[in-house]
């Protein structure tokens, strides 16, 4: 029988439904990857809002689950072999949930590894570059007199959008006809780039029509619409 209290994080964020998967997150581009995935799969889960503005990821309780102090993280009471599993890193969580449910990851070995390849592309390139662009364009970095960092991330973000634009030629989704964790990993970041980061004109987003159409298709999905607001902000 799973005892949630054995995990320190549940002492600060108690599980009302300990039999369900526990999500510790915030609706950021990385956070919504997991909430969207959970909504897409229909897995029962309980969401806990982690306030990064109040440094809650650096509390001992959260660090007990993710020593890197970042959202999202999950605690699955019914992990492999029926044993509880604590997991962090959004890309790893997407892969775990896809394998757990047998959805959004192609069974064909070649297509499977290609899908994971695009998730890694998001983790290693899109997320870090778009995030830095947001910092230098909208947040504290915009006050820096030296504009070379902003120019660097602007150009790199445009290049990455070009990679996606090329990939989406004659494809509805990243992997073709099938919507996968590759799309789920990228949707929140592309949306954030032109929305919250207000960088649409800066990166000439409208010059990437396939990416724009792909984003619109993704945002039309009901599970995506729900996942973008989970956990609900106060």
């Amino acid at each position: 029988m799973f005892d949630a209290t054995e995990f320190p994080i549940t002492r600060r964020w108690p599980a009302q439904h300990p039999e369900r998967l526990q999500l510790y997150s915030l609706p950021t581009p990385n956070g919504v990857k997991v909430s969207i995935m959970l909504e897409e799969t229909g897995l029962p889960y309980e969401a806990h809002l982690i306030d990064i503005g109040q440094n809650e990821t650096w509390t001992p309780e959260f660090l007990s689950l993710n020593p890197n102090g970042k959202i999202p993280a999950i605690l699955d009471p019914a992990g492999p072999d029926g044993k509880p599993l604590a997991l962090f890193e959004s890309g790893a969580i997407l892969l775990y949930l896809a394998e757990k449910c047998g959805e959004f990851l192609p069974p064909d070995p070649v297509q499977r590894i290609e899908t994971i390849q695009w998730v890694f592309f998001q983790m290693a390139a899109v997320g870090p570059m778009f995030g830095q662009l947001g910092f230098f364009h909208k947040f504290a970095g915009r006050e820096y007199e030296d504009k070379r960092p902003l120019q660097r991330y602007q150009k790199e973000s445009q290049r990455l959008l070009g990679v996606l634009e090329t990939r989406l030629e004659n494809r509805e989704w990243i992997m073709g006809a099938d919507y996968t964790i590759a799309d789920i990993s990228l949707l929140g970041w592309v949306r954030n780039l032109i929305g919250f980061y207000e960088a649409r004109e800066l990166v000439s987003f409208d010059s990437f029509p396939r990416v724009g159409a792909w984003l619109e298709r993704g945002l039309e999905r009901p599970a995506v619409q729900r996942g973008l607001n989970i956990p609900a902000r106060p």
Side-chain angles (χ1 to χ4, degrees):
M1 184 70 176
F2 172 67
D3 183 1
T5 62
E6 292 182 359
F7 293 84
I9 195 167
T10 66
R11 299 169 196 166
R12 188 179 181 101
W13 293 279
Q16 300 300 314
H17 302 279
E19 75 283 1
R20 300 179 185 177
L21 186 148
Q22 305 294 307
L23 169 65
Y24 306 91
S25 190
L26 187 73
T28 67
N30 281 331
V32 299
K33 295 180 205 173
V34 179
S35 53
I36 289 171
M37 182 66 172
L38 288 167
E39 288 295 315
E40 292 281 13
T41 63
L43 278 172
Y45 70 99
E46 183 176 352
H48 304 271
L49 180 73
I50 308 300
D51 191 342
I52 60 178
Q54 297 298 317
N55 293 320
E56 288 187 337
T57 57
W58 300 111
T59 60
E61 295 88 354
F62 189 86
L63 290 171
S64 71
L65 189 63
N66 182 2
N68 193 36
K70 304 290 183 182
I71 58 95
I74 65 169
L75 175 58
D76 186 359
D81 300 322
K83 299 177 181 179
L85 174 70
L87 195 62
F88 63 92
E89 283 296 332
S90 55
I93 296 171
L94 285 181
L95 182 57
Y96 169 70
L97 294 175
E99 292 182 337
K100 180 182 178 73
C101 298
E103 296 182 274
F104 307 111
L105 185 62
D108 175 80
V110 173
Q111 291 188 332
R112 179 182 184 276
I113 199 63
E114 286 184 357
T115 303
I116 296 172
Q117 164 190 264
W118 284 99
V119 174
F120 282 18
F121 168 76
Q122 182 279 304
M123 298 288 292
V126 168
M129 295 301 106
F130 286 13
Q132 292 289 354
L133 179 64
F135 174 78
F136 285 102
H137 177 58
K138 183 174 181 178
F139 300 108
R142 67 181 177 180
E143 304 299 331
Y144 295 3
E145 291 185 12
D146 188 345
K147 299 305 177 184
R148 286 175 296 180
L150 172 60
Q151 293 165 359
R152 153 72 175 162
Y153 295 118
Q154 174 192 9
K155 291 179 181 178
E156 183 62 6
S157 295
Q158 287 178 313
R159 187 189 71 80
L160 294 171
L161 287 170
V163 173
L164 290 175
E165 182 75 7
T166 299
R167 176 64 182 181
L168 288 165
E169 183 176 4
N170 299 320
R171 287 184 173 91
E172 182 177 7
W173 304 107
I174 298 296
M175 288 303 298
D178 295 328
Y179 171 82
T180 68
I181 57 173
D183 302 286
I184 294 172
S185 73
L186 285 157
L187 282 169
W189 274 106
V190 176
R191 172 180 178 266
N192 216 58
L193 178 69
I194 62 172
F196 186 61
Y197 291 161
E198 301 173 353
R200 188 183 196 104
E201 293 184 4
L202 184 67
V203 298
S204 303
F205 185 78
D206 293 331
S207 66
F208 304 100
R210 296 186 198 112
V211 176
W214 162 85
L215 178 62
E216 289 183 9
R217 285 192 293 273
L219 295 179
E220 288 173 355
R221 295 178 69 90
V224 172
Q225 295 172 15
R226 294 191 301 270
L228 288 171
N229 297 295
I230 297 174
R233 294 179 184 269

